[in-house]
PDB file of all heavy atoms in Angstrom:
ATOM      1  N   PRO G 141       1.331  -6.797   0.761  1.00  0.00           N
ATOM      2  CA  PRO G 141       0.661  -5.517   0.487  1.00  0.00           C
ATOM      3  C   PRO G 141       0.464  -4.671   1.742  1.00  0.00           C
ATOM      4  O   PRO G 141      -0.617  -4.634   2.306  1.00  0.00           O
ATOM      5  CB  PRO G 141      -0.682  -5.952  -0.118  1.00  0.00           C
ATOM      6  CG  PRO G 141      -0.927  -7.302   0.446  1.00  0.00           C
ATOM      7  CD  PRO G 141       0.398  -7.941   0.701  1.00  0.00           C
ATOM      8  N   GLY G 142       1.517  -4.002   2.163  1.00  0.00           N
ATOM      9  CA  GLY G 142       1.414  -3.131   3.338  1.00  0.00           C
ATOM     10  C   GLY G 142       1.063  -1.699   2.961  1.00  0.00           C
ATOM     11  O   GLY G 142       1.019  -1.345   1.786  1.00  0.00           O
ATOM     12  N   HIS G 143       0.869  -0.877   3.979  1.00  0.00           N
ATOM     13  CA  HIS G 143       0.435   0.509   3.737  1.00  0.00           C
ATOM     14  C   HIS G 143       1.635   1.431   3.473  1.00  0.00           C
ATOM     15  O   HIS G 143       1.940   2.317   4.280  1.00  0.00           O
ATOM     16  CB  HIS G 143      -0.365   1.017   4.934  1.00  0.00           C
ATOM     17  CG  HIS G 143      -1.626   0.244   5.172  1.00  0.00           C
ATOM     18  ND1 HIS G 143      -2.814   0.532   4.531  1.00  0.00           N
ATOM     19  CD2 HIS G 143      -1.875  -0.844   5.951  1.00  0.00           C
ATOM     20  CE1 HIS G 143      -3.749  -0.325   4.920  1.00  0.00           C
ATOM     21  NE2 HIS G 143      -3.195  -1.176   5.779  1.00  0.00           N
ATOM     22  N   TRP G 144       2.294   1.222   2.363  1.00  0.00           N
ATOM     23  CA  TRP G 144       3.518   1.961   2.069  1.00  0.00           C
ATOM     24  C   TRP G 144       3.322   3.129   1.101  1.00  0.00           C
ATOM     25  O   TRP G 144       4.256   3.876   0.823  1.00  0.00           O
ATOM     26  CB  TRP G 144       4.580   1.011   1.488  1.00  0.00           C
ATOM     27  CG  TRP G 144       5.081   0.006   2.463  1.00  0.00           C
ATOM     28  CD1 TRP G 144       4.872  -1.346   2.456  1.00  0.00           C
ATOM     29  CD2 TRP G 144       5.917   0.254   3.614  1.00  0.00           C
ATOM     30  NE1 TRP G 144       5.498  -1.952   3.527  1.00  0.00           N
ATOM     31  CE2 TRP G 144       6.144  -0.989   4.254  1.00  0.00           C
ATOM     32  CE3 TRP G 144       6.484   1.412   4.176  1.00  0.00           C
ATOM     33  CZ2 TRP G 144       6.921  -1.112   5.408  1.00  0.00           C
ATOM     34  CZ3 TRP G 144       7.247   1.292   5.326  1.00  0.00           C
ATOM     35  CH2 TRP G 144       7.454   0.040   5.929  1.00  0.00           C
ATOM     36  N   PHE G 145       2.121   3.291   0.552  1.00  0.00           N
ATOM     37  CA  PHE G 145       1.932   4.298  -0.506  1.00  0.00           C
ATOM     38  C   PHE G 145       2.232   5.717  -0.025  1.00  0.00           C
ATOM     39  O   PHE G 145       2.775   6.528  -0.768  1.00  0.00           O
ATOM     40  CB  PHE G 145       0.506   4.247  -1.068  1.00  0.00           C
ATOM     41  CG  PHE G 145       0.068   2.873  -1.514  1.00  0.00           C
ATOM     42  CD1 PHE G 145      -1.252   2.463  -1.358  1.00  0.00           C
ATOM     43  CD2 PHE G 145       0.965   1.980  -2.078  1.00  0.00           C
ATOM     44  CE1 PHE G 145      -1.662   1.211  -1.757  1.00  0.00           C
ATOM     45  CE2 PHE G 145       0.559   0.723  -2.481  1.00  0.00           C
ATOM     46  CZ  PHE G 145      -0.757   0.328  -2.309  1.00  0.00           C
ATOM     47  N   TYR G 146       1.850   5.993   1.197  1.00  0.00           N
ATOM     48  CA  TYR G 146       2.065   7.343   1.743  1.00  0.00           C
ATOM     49  C   TYR G 146       3.562   7.642   1.842  1.00  0.00           C
ATOM     50  O   TYR G 146       4.028   8.698   1.405  1.00  0.00           O
ATOM     51  CB  TYR G 146       1.395   7.439   3.121  1.00  0.00           C
ATOM     52  CG  TYR G 146       1.502   8.778   3.797  1.00  0.00           C
ATOM     53  CD1 TYR G 146       0.741   9.859   3.376  1.00  0.00           C
ATOM     54  CD2 TYR G 146       2.351   8.957   4.892  1.00  0.00           C
ATOM     55  CE1 TYR G 146       0.831  11.087   4.020  1.00  0.00           C
ATOM     56  CE2 TYR G 146       2.450  10.180   5.542  1.00  0.00           C
ATOM     57  CZ  TYR G 146       1.694  11.235   5.107  1.00  0.00           C
ATOM     58  OH  TYR G 146       1.782  12.453   5.747  1.00  0.00           O
ATOM     59  N   ALA G 147       4.323   6.678   2.393  1.00  0.00           N
ATOM     60  CA  ALA G 147       5.771   6.874   2.524  1.00  0.00           C
ATOM     61  C   ALA G 147       6.415   7.009   1.147  1.00  0.00           C
ATOM     62  O   ALA G 147       7.264   7.881   0.939  1.00  0.00           O
ATOM     63  CB  ALA G 147       6.390   5.700   3.285  1.00  0.00           C
ATOM     64  N   LEU G 148       5.995   6.176   0.220  1.00  0.00           N
ATOM     65  CA  LEU G 148       6.571   6.228  -1.131  1.00  0.00           C
ATOM     66  C   LEU G 148       6.318   7.591  -1.766  1.00  0.00           C
ATOM     67  O   LEU G 148       7.228   8.206  -2.339  1.00  0.00           O
ATOM     68  CB  LEU G 148       5.970   5.117  -2.005  1.00  0.00           C
ATOM     69  CG  LEU G 148       6.468   3.699  -1.700  1.00  0.00           C
ATOM     70  CD1 LEU G 148       5.593   2.659  -2.394  1.00  0.00           C
ATOM     71  CD2 LEU G 148       7.919   3.530  -2.118  1.00  0.00           C
ATOM     72  N   GLU G 149       5.088   8.064  -1.641  1.00  0.00           N
ATOM     73  CA  GLU G 149       4.760   9.356  -2.256  1.00  0.00           C
ATOM     74  C   GLU G 149       5.566  10.484  -1.629  1.00  0.00           C
ATOM     75  O   GLU G 149       6.064  11.368  -2.327  1.00  0.00           O
ATOM     76  CB  GLU G 149       3.257   9.628  -2.103  1.00  0.00           C
ATOM     77  CG  GLU G 149       2.834  10.902  -2.826  1.00  0.00           C
ATOM     78  CD  GLU G 149       1.370  11.246  -2.605  1.00  0.00           C
ATOM     79  OE1 GLU G 149       0.571  10.338  -2.351  1.00  0.00           O
ATOM     80  OE2 GLU G 149       1.052  12.436  -2.689  1.00  0.00           O
ATOM     81  N   LYS G 150       5.716  10.434  -0.300  1.00  0.00           N
ATOM     82  CA  LYS G 150       6.452  11.504   0.376  1.00  0.00           C
ATOM     83  C   LYS G 150       7.935  11.470   0.007  1.00  0.00           C
ATOM     84  O   LYS G 150       8.571  12.505  -0.142  1.00  0.00           O
ATOM     85  CB  LYS G 150       6.292  11.388   1.895  1.00  0.00           C
ATOM     86  CG  LYS G 150       4.873  11.640   2.372  1.00  0.00           C
ATOM     87  CD  LYS G 150       4.417  13.045   2.070  1.00  0.00           C
ATOM     88  CE  LYS G 150       2.954  13.251   2.425  1.00  0.00           C
ATOM     89  NZ  LYS G 150       2.378  14.439   1.787  1.00  0.00           N
ATOM     90  N   ILE G 151       8.503  10.278  -0.108  1.00  0.00           N
ATOM     91  CA  ILE G 151       9.934  10.172  -0.431  1.00  0.00           C
ATOM     92  C   ILE G 151      10.202  10.566  -1.889  1.00  0.00           C
ATOM     93  O   ILE G 151      11.115  11.323  -2.190  1.00  0.00           O
ATOM     94  CB  ILE G 151      10.449   8.739  -0.149  1.00  0.00           C
ATOM     95  CG1 ILE G 151      10.440   8.466   1.360  1.00  0.00           C
ATOM     96  CG2 ILE G 151      11.854   8.549  -0.702  1.00  0.00           C
ATOM     97  CD1 ILE G 151      10.724   7.021   1.738  1.00  0.00           C
ATOM     98  N   VAL G 152       9.377  10.036  -2.780  1.00  0.00           N
ATOM     99  CA  VAL G 152       9.588  10.281  -4.210  1.00  0.00           C
ATOM    100  C   VAL G 152       9.152  11.704  -4.589  1.00  0.00           C
ATOM    101  O   VAL G 152       9.711  12.312  -5.498  1.00  0.00           O
ATOM    102  CB  VAL G 152       8.824   9.226  -5.054  1.00  0.00           C
ATOM    103  CG1 VAL G 152       8.865   9.546  -6.524  1.00  0.00           C
ATOM    104  CG2 VAL G 152       9.412   7.845  -4.795  1.00  0.00           C
ATOM    105  N   GLY G 153       8.183  12.231  -3.860  1.00  0.00           N
ATOM    106  CA  GLY G 153       7.700  13.567  -4.158  1.00  0.00           C
ATOM    107  C   GLY G 153       6.605  13.591  -5.196  1.00  0.00           C
ATOM    108  O   GLY G 153       6.245  14.641  -5.710  1.00  0.00           O
ATOM    109  N   GLN G 154       6.090  12.417  -5.513  1.00  0.00           N
ATOM    110  CA  GLN G 154       5.052  12.317  -6.545  1.00  0.00           C
ATOM    111  C   GLN G 154       4.282  11.023  -6.319  1.00  0.00           C
ATOM    112  O   GLN G 154       4.867  10.019  -5.893  1.00  0.00           O
ATOM    113  CB  GLN G 154       5.740  12.265  -7.909  1.00  0.00           C
ATOM    114  CG  GLN G 154       4.853  12.656  -9.054  1.00  0.00           C
ATOM    115  CD  GLN G 154       5.619  12.648 -10.380  1.00  0.00           C
ATOM    116  OE1 GLN G 154       6.850  12.733 -10.392  1.00  0.00           O
ATOM    117  NE2 GLN G 154       4.906  12.526 -11.467  1.00  0.00           N
ATOM    118  N   ASP G 155       2.988  11.051  -6.608  1.00  0.00           N
ATOM    119  CA  ASP G 155       2.179   9.840  -6.494  1.00  0.00           C
ATOM    120  C   ASP G 155       2.217   9.085  -7.821  1.00  0.00           C
ATOM    121  O   ASP G 155       1.620   9.526  -8.797  1.00  0.00           O
ATOM    122  CB  ASP G 155       0.738  10.208  -6.129  1.00  0.00           C
ATOM    123  CG  ASP G 155      -0.130   8.976  -5.915  1.00  0.00           C
ATOM    124  OD1 ASP G 155       0.413   7.858  -5.981  1.00  0.00           O
ATOM    125  OD2 ASP G 155      -1.342   9.135  -5.678  1.00  0.00           O
ATOM    126  N   MET G 156       2.929   7.967  -7.837  1.00  0.00           N
ATOM    127  CA  MET G 156       3.066   7.198  -9.076  1.00  0.00           C
ATOM    128  C   MET G 156       1.859   6.282  -9.316  1.00  0.00           C
ATOM    129  O   MET G 156       1.817   5.575 -10.307  1.00  0.00           O
ATOM    130  CB  MET G 156       4.344   6.345  -9.031  1.00  0.00           C
ATOM    131  CG  MET G 156       5.600   7.170  -8.908  1.00  0.00           C
ATOM    132  SD  MET G 156       5.748   8.318 -10.282  1.00  0.00           S
ATOM    133  CE  MET G 156       7.156   9.293  -9.763  1.00  0.00           C
TER     134      MET G 156
END
Side-chain angles (χ1 to χ4, degrees):
Chain G
H143 297 274
W144 293 111
F145 308 145
Y146 181 74
L148 286 167
E149 185 184 333
K150 293 297 174 197
I151 292 171
V152 172
Q154 201 177 339
D155 183 4
M156 299 301 172

